[in-house]
Amino acid sequence: MAMKLKESLMAKTMTKNENIYQTLFVNRNPESIKSDYGRNLIFGGSTSFPNAPIIAASFSSVSGVGYTGIAVPEETYIVAASRAPLTCVFENFKTIDECFMVNGNEDLLNHCLKTYSSILFGNGIKNDKRNYEFLCYLIRNYEGNLVIDATGLTLLSEYGCQILKDKENIILTPHLGEANKIFGTSIESRNPQDYQEAALSFTKEFSVSILLKSYHSAICSREEFRILDTPKTPCLGKAGSGDGLAGLLSGLLSYGTKSFEISEIISFSDFLIHTAAKKCEETQSKGTADILTVLSYLKTH
């Protein structure tokens, strides 16, 4: 009985993902223009991790989004600009100070908040109090879908999560180590199922959605904790995989929520990247493949 139930749930999941795929990627109006498919802005990067937001932008650019913008620190701009997808646009401000903290250019920042339908924050960004204050500004003022990943999660765990109260437009994407910091736990397990109690407790206190990343992932909200039945593959067990998934997710969220629930888009993005990574195994060595190798298989999904 349990096996039949699992097979039934898997079939429903595949049908739903196929429906989303057809809706977002295939059945597009021939008279549509780029503004019909949303705008995604990525805040990230530092001298230690200059390429993290570029990996995210590379996956955003193949998510079907109409427009991907990037905002990086000035000291990483040349590196980022030389490696970013040619279709991406760098915002006028090159540093957080320029757009908000020092010069007080809140008009420029608020224009961006109104222009972009999704924002990804945190990939490779420097861990300091000023960036936390900027993240808090985004959380308070941004009304679109805000994905917080990587160092953005570290900032919340170190400086406080209370800012997340009653913010249903926030999506957190921690791997299990980051989840322990966010939840205030010390669970020693690679199985996301073992984090269920802590994740549900967190989402009951805060209204956020969570994609808990591991060899297979889980999605959590106030209403549910659900293991995502995606292919397991070591091709995603390398640095940068989380950046790629976060970029893909934020790109899909920028326009996909016109037709589907946030939880469905989260599940679909995880399904896409795991499926592409599994396809990568067919022609690439599992040990030599990395997230940029997987990107080429995502394009031909």
Side-chain angles (χ1 to χ4, degrees):
M1 180 65 73
M3 183 60 69
K4 288 183 178 180
L5 177 59
K6 182 178 180 180
E7 291 175 353
S8 175
L9 291 173
M10 287 176 61
K12 289 181 180 178
T13 299
M14 291 297 292
T15 300
K16 173 58 73 174
N17 284 330
E18 180 62 27
N19 183 30
I20 298 174
Y21 180 81
Q22 291 293 327
T23 301
L24 299 186
F25 289 160
V26 179
N27 299 327
R28 291 195 165 198
N29 186 341
E31 297 180 358
S32 60
I33 57 176
K34 64 183 179 182
S35 60
D36 295 330
Y37 301 106
R39 295 163 65 96
N40 183 32
L41 177 61
I42 298 169
F43 281 102
S46 64
T47 53
S48 297
F49 303 102
N51 293 316
I54 304 310
I55 294 172
S58 298
F59 278 78
S60 172
S61 68
V62 299
S63 69
V65 66
Y67 188 101
T68 297
I70 306 173
V72 299
E74 187 170 19
E75 60 267 25
T76 69
Y77 173 73
I78 293 177
V79 173
S82 66
R83 298 180 179 178
L86 297 181
T87 53
C88 294
V89 175
F90 285 81
E91 281 299 335
N92 291 331
F93 47 82
K94 297 188 183 70
T95 69
I96 289 175
D97 285 348
E98 285 181 21
C99 70
F100 176 54
M101 293 297 175
V102 173
N103 296 336
N105 292 333
E106 292 186 38
D107 289 343
L108 175 59
L109 177 59
N110 288 329
H111 170 72
C112 283
L113 300 192
K114 293 177 181 178
T115 299
Y116 285 92
S117 45
S118 64
I119 289 177
L120 170 60
F121 180 92
N123 299 86
I125 207 163
K126 186 177 180 181
N127 180 359
D128 62 25
K129 186 66 176 294
R130 179 166 290 180
N131 282 342
Y132 173 70
E133 292 171 351
F134 180 69
L135 175 58
C136 288
Y137 184 89
L138 291 179
I139 292 171
R140 290 192 190 99
N141 295 281
Y142 184 57
E143 297 181 357
N145 295 306
L146 175 59
V147 179
I148 304 175
D149 190 43
T151 310
L153 299 168
T154 301
L155 293 172
L156 290 173
S157 65
E158 291 188 4
Y159 295 104
C161 294
Q162 291 302 311
I163 187 68
L164 297 174
K165 279 282 189 182
D166 302 319
K167 294 294 182 178
E168 296 182 358
N169 65 321
I170 306 294
I171 299 94
L172 308 183
T173 55
H175 58 59
L176 300 185
E178 293 164 338
N180 269 324
K181 293 179 181 179
I182 288 285
F183 301 155
T185 55
S186 55
I187 302 168
E188 296 182 2
S189 173
R190 294 185 178 186
N191 187 348
Q193 187 70 60
D194 295 330
Y195 295 76
Q196 178 173 349
E197 182 178 352
L200 285 171
S201 176
F202 188 89
T203 53
K204 285 178 181 177
E205 181 176 1
F206 307 106
S207 302
V208 300
S209 298
I210 296 176
L211 174 61
L212 192 59
K213 300 179 294 191
S214 186
Y215 57 87
H216 61 193
S217 304
I219 185 171
C220 185
S221 65
R222 280 184 171 180
E223 292 77 26
E224 68 170 344
F225 181 95
R226 176 165 51 92
I227 298 294
L228 300 179
D229 195 7
T230 48
K232 301 174 188 177
T233 168
C235 289
L236 295 175
K238 287 192 175 182
S241 295
D243 301 315
L245 176 54
L248 179 65
L249 171 59
S250 58
L252 287 165
L253 286 169
S254 67
Y255 70 102
T257 50
K258 296 176 182 177
S259 304
F260 301 97
E261 298 294 327
I262 286 179
S263 61
E264 294 174 318
I265 298 299
I266 295 173
S267 176
F268 178 64
S269 65
D270 190 73
F271 166 79
L272 272 185
I273 201 166
H274 276 84
T275 302
K278 194 66 178 177
K279 287 175 62 179
C280 181
E281 287 185 15
E282 297 174 4
T283 57
Q284 302 287 327
S285 164
K286 298 175 185 178
T288 59
D290 61 14
I291 192 60
L292 296 182
T293 311
V294 171
L295 177 62
S296 62
Y297 289 84
L298 183 65
K299 292 178 181 179
T300 58
H301 180 268

